[in-house]
Amino acid sequence: MSLFILFEGVEGSGKSTQAKALKRRFVKLGLPVVLVKEPGSTAVGSASRRLLKHRLDIRIDPVTELLLFNAARSQLIAEVIRPALDKDQIVICDRYAESTLAYQGYGRGLDPNTIRTINEIATGGLRPDLIILPDIDVEEGLSRKGTAATNDRFEREDISFHRRVRQGYLEMGREEPDRWFVIDSTLTKRKISDLIWQKVQRYLPQT
Ligand code: TYD
């Protein structure tokens, strides 16, 4: 049985922590699981990640940004995600195409139809079975992220950018409630992890 679970969220939402916690639960059950992070998890992804997040000395055009995230994505799918799903493994992804709709669409203001077209080319139409969105107030999320000196290109965006990103996520969640699981990120880590596990179990074959 293959299963594709995506974690999305604004900065500091706790999604990466929860993605790792979910992976540990699958491992405990002896289920084959792969956890990947976007952009990253391949050589192309890591190179894009350095450019996109850490080259604060260059101005990256929003369309270039859209294409770079999707270049990293198509490579990740070809190299890791597709092969894992083909072997009936569970794939947990920390960010995916929905990040592009939220950040480059709602955040940067690129046309959502253009983004959907590019996302579609990169993903070949591969969509997650379930999208988990730990939701948090953006000020609170950013305050979990440390000092401005260590912040990356996205964390340095102004507060209205982050508010639009959150708004985008919540709108996508409302549009497709069967696919999205929105969860209050101010609950304890343990509680969030338990609620996610309850939800995910519905996607596993009953034994
Ligand atoms: P990362 O350090 O992975 O952030 P986080 O720990 O919050 O996931 O950095 C990824 C950054 O890239 C994050 O700020 C969101 C942004 N991003 C986009 O703008 N568009 C995208 O398509 C993706 C995948 C990420």
Side-chain angles (χ1 to χ4, degrees):
M1 177 220 59
S2 70
L3 181 61
F4 183 10
I5 300 172
L6 168 62
F7 280 81
E8 286 287 356
V10 296
E11 311 300 321
S13 66
K15 67 178 170 42
S16 303
T17 305
Q18 290 300 331
K20 287 181 203 142
L22 180 61
K23 180 185 174 184
R24 283 196 295 274
R25 299 229 193 198
F26 285 128
V27 169
K28 258 193 193 160
L29 288 183
L31 294 170
V33 56
V34 177
L35 170 61
V36 288
K37 183 168 178 60
E38 266 207 26
S41 303
T42 69
V44 172
S46 302
S48 314
R49 182 179 183 82
R50 274 194 298 280
L51 267 175
L52 287 160
K53 281 183 50 133
H54 301 301
R55 285 296 301 269
L56 303 174
D57 55 322
I58 50 173
R59 188 190 164 274
I60 301 180
D61 177 79
V63 175
T64 308
E65 193 174 270
L66 165 69
L67 294 169
L68 279 173
F69 277 116
N70 271 296
R73 181 166 303 136
S74 65
Q75 186 66 23
L76 180 65
I77 293 168
E79 224 177 281
V80 186
I81 298 182
R82 274 276 184 214
L85 293 174
D86 287 346
K87 280 187 273 179
D88 281 346
Q89 298 182 335
I90 297 164
V91 174
I92 303 173
C93 204
D94 184 345
R95 296 196 181 281
Y96 190 64
E98 281 68 15
S99 275
T100 315
L101 282 162
Y103 281 78
Q104 280 64 53
Y106 289 87
R108 298 263 189 254
L110 291 183
D111 172 30
N113 288 324
T114 305
I115 297 177
R116 280 196 197 92
T117 302
I118 304 291
N119 281 354
E120 181 74 19
I121 291 168
T123 62
L126 179 68
R127 296 209 62 203
D129 299 293
L130 172 66
I131 305 169
I132 297 168
L133 179 72
D135 175 53
I136 191 164
D137 173 75
V138 292
E139 273 104 341
E140 198 174 333
L142 285 167
S143 75
R144 293 176 175 181
K145 279 274 167 167
T147 60
T150 57
N151 279 357
D152 66 34
R153 223 162 53 82
F154 292 95
E155 290 157 0
R156 283 166 191 246
E157 286 294 335
D158 62 25
I159 200 74
S160 58
F161 174 89
H162 294 286
R163 288 205 184 104
R164 289 195 300 279
V165 171
R166 181 187 186 200
Q167 193 52 37
Y169 277 129
L170 293 173
E171 267 180 39
M172 287 188 266
R174 277 195 294 274
E175 278 162 20
E176 268 192 312
D178 291 345
R179 196 190 294 267
W180 288 73
F181 181 49
V182 183
I183 187 160
D184 175 1
S185 197
T186 62
L187 298 171
T188 64
K189 278 185 197 162
R190 179 75 210 185
K191 179 77 189 159
I192 297 170
S193 163
D194 287 346
L195 289 169
I196 290 172
W197 186 237
Q198 268 176 31
K199 179 80 177 178
V200 164
Q201 275 177 314
R202 293 185 218 161
Y203 291 76
L204 298 176
Q206 297 307 309
T207 47

